[in-house]
Amino acid sequence: MTTLKPLALAAALALSALGAPGAHAAGGTLTVAPFAPGDPGSFDPIDTFLVAWGNVGSQLYDGLTMRGADMKLVPGLATHWEMLDKDTRIRFTLRKDVKFHDGEPFNAQAVKFTFDRLLGDEGKKGPQQSNYNAIKEVKVVDDLTVDFILSQPDPVLLTKLAGYGAMIVPPRYIQEKGDAYFNTHPVGTGPFRFVSYEPKISLTLERNPDYWGGAPKLDKVVYRYITEPSTQASELLAGRLDIAANIPLSMTSVIKENKNLKIVDIDGPTTVALRYNTRDGITANKEVRKALIMAVDRDAIIKQILLGYAVPTASFQGKLSFGYDPTLKVVPFDLAKAREILKQQGVKPGTPVQIDYRGSDQNFREVAQAVAGYLQAAGLKPTLKGYETNVLLNDIIPNGKTGNMWQNTWGGWTFDYDNTAYAMYHSGQKWNPYDKDPKLDAMLEAQRGTYDREKRLKTLQDIARYVQDQALEMPLYSLKAVFGVNDRVKDLTIPSDGRFRFIDASVQ
Amino acid sequence: MTGFLVKRLFQAVFVILVVTLLVSWAVRLTGDPALMLAQGAGSITEADLQRIREGLGLNQPFLVQYGHFLWGMVHGDFGRSFLGGASVGGLIATALPATLWLTFCSLAFSLIISIPLGIHAAVHQGSWSDQTIRILTLVGLSFPNFWLALMLVLLFAIIYPVFPPSGMTDATSVVLPALTMGIILSATTVRLVRTSMLETLNAQYIMVVRSKGLKERTVLYKHALRNCAIPVITFLGLQFGGLIGGIVVVERVFNWPGLGTLAFEAISGRDYPVLQAAVTILALLIVLANLLVDMAYGLVDPRIRIK
């Protein structure tokens, strides 16, 4: 019987822990498992580009501009701005009476300090600087006015000022406490302020009662870092999470069946395509590339494998993206026609096609298998090759060592097609190892040179149309962001860019 | 004894040098941390990447970087994480106790169930209970650890919410992960205890002890068990490496904030300083475990006590 003692002890301990959950106060505490990998390691805006940082950043900090849940640009810490000197200078009027969480006043000096830091030596080590190098310098005009002097046009700049590296940081605090301390004890002007942080385990924030935009309802927000999606689902099912950001699609039905939980899906930034190796093999032929697009039934893949949590796309962007063209149609599934074209182009039955994908991406592995199935039906001999994600992204793709087709999963928080198109199609870009197209280069550069929204939109739409015409990729779908949410959370808005800002939400 | 320890110390240093050199070298073949950091940064130029690499010290030749790592380690400084710049020493300091605690509980759990079960099976060789135990161990052996983990979570955290499904929040958090690793470990240990017990029970001295009229319990637990301890301890020492390997998966599923999780995330994030430190500590643990096994031999068997 001695063997049973430890078990009995464990059971007793377990029972004593059951009485733990306490009653919620007025606004309550919201517990979130953010997107993997969850812990950005540092909450300094200039240190990272992870979505995981974005999940926290907009709760702690504000930018000069801000974006609502509808992705429209609105005033943030700047109440007003105007373009001067033929669009080479932007003058911002700053919001009055705003204070950082430590009591330090927000003013023109803070803005200058933020950007001097981002564009100077401190920012050099991080990945954020390159996004803002259109800014030559920031000049203080008076206490509540700053001028941004631009060295080159950047039509996406105002959007980029709403997030990540451009979030305004407190000069005195950073100078006094040092950079390393600021990384793990962030201070901003945002609706929530920092309470505590345990690396890789959790981050706790509390309501900023003095928030200039009106204090949030929640008392606290606790981020729990859980990297394994099925573990996030377990924790949600056990009632220990209010929001889980990484729910495996296979578990959505279990969550829906639970009477206390629901699935919330929103249009997300992530778009998936199979890009072509336009240099080698049968995919060097444009007509063959078009035939392959026709051979794959995207609707069936979305319905069967992605359980409906995706939208088919005609270009490499979702419908929230600036540059999206609703009149650009998805190429319809037509296996017979695809076969006919392949025959006309002299592609012999049984010709091999290789699809490279990220081996750790379980959903996509199934999608790739389905695509392979369709290509086989079209008479080809597809093979699948799974790579470790970083090897694929950092070695195989940039060095032009891919098979005929390769997975590209892409999404930028700016929701601007420029962010995608320039990186994908401009000559010499890392993501464009195979093509040099002067016509495409010219269009991509033209839209970067203008602040005229109408003109830019048209050029971006032309680019998407041109890419479709050249069949540079097989567009697949734009993924929905799928969240598991406990019903006790009220008035929750989840923005499509994943930059959480839980001002209206409460937990009952 | 001192000579023995010195020899072991040299061995440990050698093992750590080889392991870290291999890991540091191999991980650098699999991608660029600068690109990892810059992922999603719109259009990034080679100059931008070069700047990030310089900031991280990655522009230096490999041996210089490795030398820096060794030099730092000798001074007790593991450097700073590439992702966010947290002190690696601090990360290890929180992860190591978590891993040790989980390993200890798993081992303890597996011993607590496998020794009595193994002895029982040996004593009642061929009976239905022996058969049942053997079938159960076979089933236990064929469980993949992540599957077992998910099933345990489903059963004891969701359907019957007795234990927390993940994390290390209270005293009961360790139960499910330790059970997962313990069950898998027990499967082999039970079989080993059974086999060596069978051998021992046929030995003449057991006959002598029995003929003295000692209670069966004393015969088994005092005289026989001690003699089959050597193979079991050897086996556990060998298993320890496997246990550390398995801990990476189990820690991840249970979101256990240990070295396995740390190493896993460092590999996927190409966070060299964290990875090198985590691997060093894991290698040290294995060396240490082997040392403990050697010392335990002397403890249970005076014949091989080291002079």
Side-chain angles (χ1 to χ4, degrees):
Chain A
M1 273 316 283
T2 43
T3 56
L4 279 179
K5 264 187 191 160
L7 283 178
L9 183 71
L13 280 170
L15 285 173
S16 68
L18 274 180
H24 283 298
T29 298
L30 183 85
T31 311
V32 199
F35 287 100
D39 186 359
S42 160
F43 299 97
D44 186 334
I46 65 178
D47 279 352
T48 149
F49 225 113
L50 295 170
V51 182
W53 188 91
N55 288 168
V56 174
S58 297
Q59 315 255 45
L60 286 170
Y61 305 101
D62 295 305
L64 291 178
T65 60
M66 234 162 59
R67 214 157 50 166
D70 58 357
M71 299 296 114
K72 291 242 161 59
L73 211 60
V74 291
L77 287 176
T79 51
H80 174 77
W81 54 87
E82 55 186 325
M83 308 292 295
L84 300 169
D85 300 348
K86 291 188 189 147
D87 297 345
T88 57
R89 189 154 62 97
I90 316 177
R91 171 160 290 188
F92 290 94
T93 310
L94 306 180
R95 197 173 287 277
K96 270 189 280 192
D97 303 323
V98 175
K99 280 190 166 37
F100 286 99
H101 301 149
D102 65 336
E104 191 176 339
F106 160 77
N107 54 27
Q109 282 302 333
V111 177
K112 182 168 171 54
F113 175 81
T114 299
F115 285 91
D116 283 355
R117 191 167 168 266
L118 169 66
L119 302 169
D121 287 341
E122 191 51 47
K124 245 183 206 172
K125 283 180 270 173
Q128 286 288 336
Q129 195 183 67
S130 60
N131 242 10
Y132 297 92
N133 50 20
I135 306 167
K136 195 171 147 212
E137 69 167 314
V138 172
K139 278 188 176 154
V140 174
V141 178
D142 62 44
D143 202 40
L144 290 174
T145 314
V146 285
D147 278 356
F148 278 46
I149 317 288
L150 307 181
S151 57
Q152 67 198 60
D154 181 355
V156 197
L157 185 64
L158 284 171
T159 305
K160 289 194 282 202
L161 290 180
Y164 284 89
M167 302 300 236
I168 306 298
V169 296
R172 197 180 67 207
Y173 182 81
I174 294 177
Q175 279 158 351
E176 275 173 16
K177 304 277 185 174
D179 202 66
Y181 186 83
F182 178 65
N183 286 348
T184 51
H185 299 79
V187 162
T189 55
F192 289 91
R193 60 190 182 198
F194 172 80
V195 178
S196 65
Y197 167 56
E198 282 182 273
K200 314 273 178 200
I201 300 173
S202 69
L203 168 77
T204 305
L205 310 179
E206 66 178 7
R207 174 203 292 140
N208 171 9
D210 308 321
Y211 184 54
W212 57 265
K217 286 188 191 141
L218 288 167
D219 297 316
K220 271 185 184 170
V221 178
V222 177
Y223 288 84
R224 283 186 56 202
Y225 297 128
I226 303 172
T227 43
E228 179 61 40
S230 56
T231 309
Q232 286 199 6
S234 304
E235 288 277 331
L236 187 76
L237 287 166
R240 287 157 43 102
L241 279 179
D242 295 312
I243 303 174
N246 285 110
I247 293 290
L249 289 181
S250 57
M251 290 192 74
T252 48
S253 58
V254 183
I255 287 164
K256 277 187 195 160
E257 280 162 21
N258 188 303
K259 63 181 189 319
N260 300 320
L261 305 174
K262 59 173 175 263
I263 290 285
V264 174
D265 62 289
I266 53 171
D267 287 313
T270 311
T271 318
V272 184
L274 278 166
R275 310 260 322 270
Y276 286 119
N277 177 342
T278 51
R279 186 189 61 197
D280 315 305
I282 55 166
T283 45
N285 179 338
K286 184 170 93 180
E287 298 308 319
V288 172
R289 299 200 294 264
K290 285 188 171 167
L292 298 187
I293 297 174
M294 268 174 227
V296 175
D297 187 349
R298 269 160 286 277
D299 290 323
I301 288 177
I302 290 170
K303 200 172 150 214
Q304 299 296 332
I305 299 172
L306 303 170
L307 309 177
Y309 293 112
V311 185
T313 49
S315 66
F316 203 15
Q317 60 184 330
K319 67 169 177 245
L320 288 172
S321 161
F322 184 78
Y324 178 78
D325 182 353
T327 64
L328 191 67
K329 290 283 175 268
V330 175
V331 178
F333 171 55
D334 190 340
L335 192 57
K337 199 171 164 204
R339 277 183 162 160
E340 202 184 299
I341 299 176
L342 287 175
K343 202 173 163 193
Q344 277 169 11
Q345 297 298 319
V347 177
K348 291 195 180 64
T351 306
V353 215
Q354 184 185 312
I355 303 174
D356 297 346
Y357 69 101
R358 303 178 182 183
S360 57
D361 187 338
Q362 284 177 21
N363 285 330
F364 193 80
R365 188 185 323 159
E366 288 178 43
V367 171
Q369 280 161 357
V371 170
Y374 284 114
L375 296 186
Q376 194 162 23
L380 300 168
K381 196 179 163 216
T383 46
L384 294 175
K385 192 161 181 186
Y387 285 97
E388 199 267 345
T389 307
N390 290 298
V391 174
L392 183 65
L393 301 190
N394 298 334
D395 179 32
I396 304 298
I397 296 170
N399 294 321
K401 297 194 282 192
T402 68
N404 302 91
M405 302 164 86
W406 41 284
Q407 175 192 5
N408 206 355
T409 296
W410 186 265
W413 69 275
T414 52
F415 284 101
D416 193 296
Y417 186 48
D418 166 69
N419 201 301
T420 307
Y422 198 92
M424 297 299 141
Y425 314 124
H426 197 278
S427 302
Q429 287 287 319
K430 169 186 171 234
W431 295 96
N432 178 18
Y434 299 118
D435 282 301
K436 271 199 177 65
D437 186 335
K439 195 173 162 201
L440 200 46
D441 287 355
M443 283 196 278
L444 287 163
E445 282 155 25
Q447 60 82 27
R448 280 206 165 176
T450 173
Y451 287 89
D452 182 336
R453 282 179 68 84
E454 289 303 308
K455 230 166 112 186
R456 267 195 80 223
L457 183 64
K458 184 165 179 308
T459 315
L460 288 172
Q461 289 176 342
D462 287 346
I463 291 169
R465 204 166 283 277
Y466 182 77
V467 169
Q468 189 188 51
D469 184 57
Q470 296 293 311
L472 295 183
E473 74 227 347
M474 177 191 287
L476 291 172
Y477 44 79
S478 162
L479 282 172
K480 297 235 175 190
V482 178
F483 296 85
V485 179
N486 194 305
D487 286 334
R488 64 180 174 239
V489 185
K490 306 292 172 203
D491 305 317
L492 178 72
T493 28
I494 302 178
S496 286
D497 56 7
R499 300 190 309 131
F500 301 154
R501 191 168 247 250
F502 299 132
I503 293 190
D504 298 322
S506 62
V507 174
Q508 277 158 13
Chain B
M1 189 68 188
T2 328
F4 168 76
L5 281 180
V6 168
K7 208 172 116 195
R8 274 317 179 90
L9 195 68
F10 274 111
Q11 250 175 24
V13 170
F14 180 73
V15 166
I16 286 162
L17 277 179
V18 171
V19 170
T20 52
L21 192 62
L22 269 177
V23 168
S24 315
W25 171 73
V27 75
R28 280 172 170 79
L29 298 177
T30 62
D32 183 351
L35 272 170
M36 278 294 297
L37 282 173
Q39 243 172 63
S43 51
I44 191 137
T45 64
E46 190 50 39
D48 294 326
L49 289 175
Q50 197 50 37
R51 235 186 24 230
I52 297 177
R53 283 186 206 116
E54 273 167 34
L56 299 175
L58 288 167
N59 51 334
Q60 294 160 321
F62 168 62
L63 282 177
V64 175
Q65 292 179 41
Y66 183 69
H68 276 305
F69 160 69
L70 284 185
W71 185 247
M73 192 168 66
V74 172
H75 293 81
D77 173 17
F78 282 111
R80 300 205 156 265
S81 159
F82 283 176
L83 301 173
S87 144
V88 178
L91 292 175
I92 298 277
T94 48
L96 181 61
T99 292
L100 287 179
W101 174 233
L102 177 54
T103 317
F104 171 78
C105 291
S106 313
L107 275 174
F109 173 76
S110 99
L111 286 179
I112 286 168
I113 61 169
S114 53
I115 289 178
L117 280 181
I119 293 178
H120 181 90
V123 174
H124 302 93
Q125 189 193 3
S127 71
W128 66 266
S129 55
D130 178 30
Q131 299 290 359
T132 316
I133 288 170
R134 278 160 65 189
I135 290 168
L136 280 181
T137 56
L138 204 65
V139 174
L141 271 179
S142 31
F143 280 149
N145 49 8
F146 60 88
W147 182 84
L148 183 60
L150 290 177
M151 287 304 114
L152 287 175
V153 167
L154 188 65
L155 256 176
F156 297 113
I158 294 172
I159 300 179
Y160 305 105
V162 188
F163 301 110
S166 83
M168 192 170 79
T169 40
D170 53 51
T172 61
S173 301
V174 78
V175 176
L176 293 184
L179 218 59
T180 307
M181 297 221 295
I183 286 176
I184 289 165
L185 193 60
S186 308
T188 351
T189 323
V190 169
R191 299 194 138 219
L192 195 75
V193 171
R194 180 180 175 275
T195 318
S196 47
M197 202 63 174
L198 275 177
E199 227 169 86
T200 317
L201 285 178
N202 288 328
Q204 280 194 332
Y205 80 94
I206 292 292
M207 222 189 298
V208 174
V209 176
R210 277 194 174 135
S211 60
K212 279 203 309 194
L214 287 183
K215 270 188 286 182
E216 186 63 11
R217 202 188 171 82
T218 322
V219 175
L220 289 178
Y221 283 87
K222 184 152 179 241
H223 296 273
L225 183 60
R226 201 160 177 177
N227 268 285
C228 51
I230 295 279
V232 173
I233 288 174
T234 312
F235 170 75
L236 284 180
L238 289 174
Q239 275 300 93
F240 190 77
L243 199 65
I244 292 290
I247 223 167
V248 175
V249 177
V250 173
E251 279 189 358
R252 192 172 149 83
V253 175
F254 286 101
N255 207 40
W256 192 259
L259 284 175
T261 309
L262 201 62
F264 185 90
E265 281 172 21
I267 292 171
S268 36
R270 298 297 182 274
D271 196 343
Y272 301 165
V274 174
L275 180 66
Q276 286 164 348
V279 166
T280 307
I281 301 296
L282 288 173
L284 249 176
L285 280 183
I286 292 176
V287 171
L288 205 69
N290 282 320
L291 185 69
L292 284 177
V293 166
D294 284 350
M295 288 165 62
Y297 284 161
L299 228 69
V300 293
D301 191 344
R303 285 171 300 180
I304 46 174
R305 206 161 277 175
I306 302 143
K307 290 179 187 80

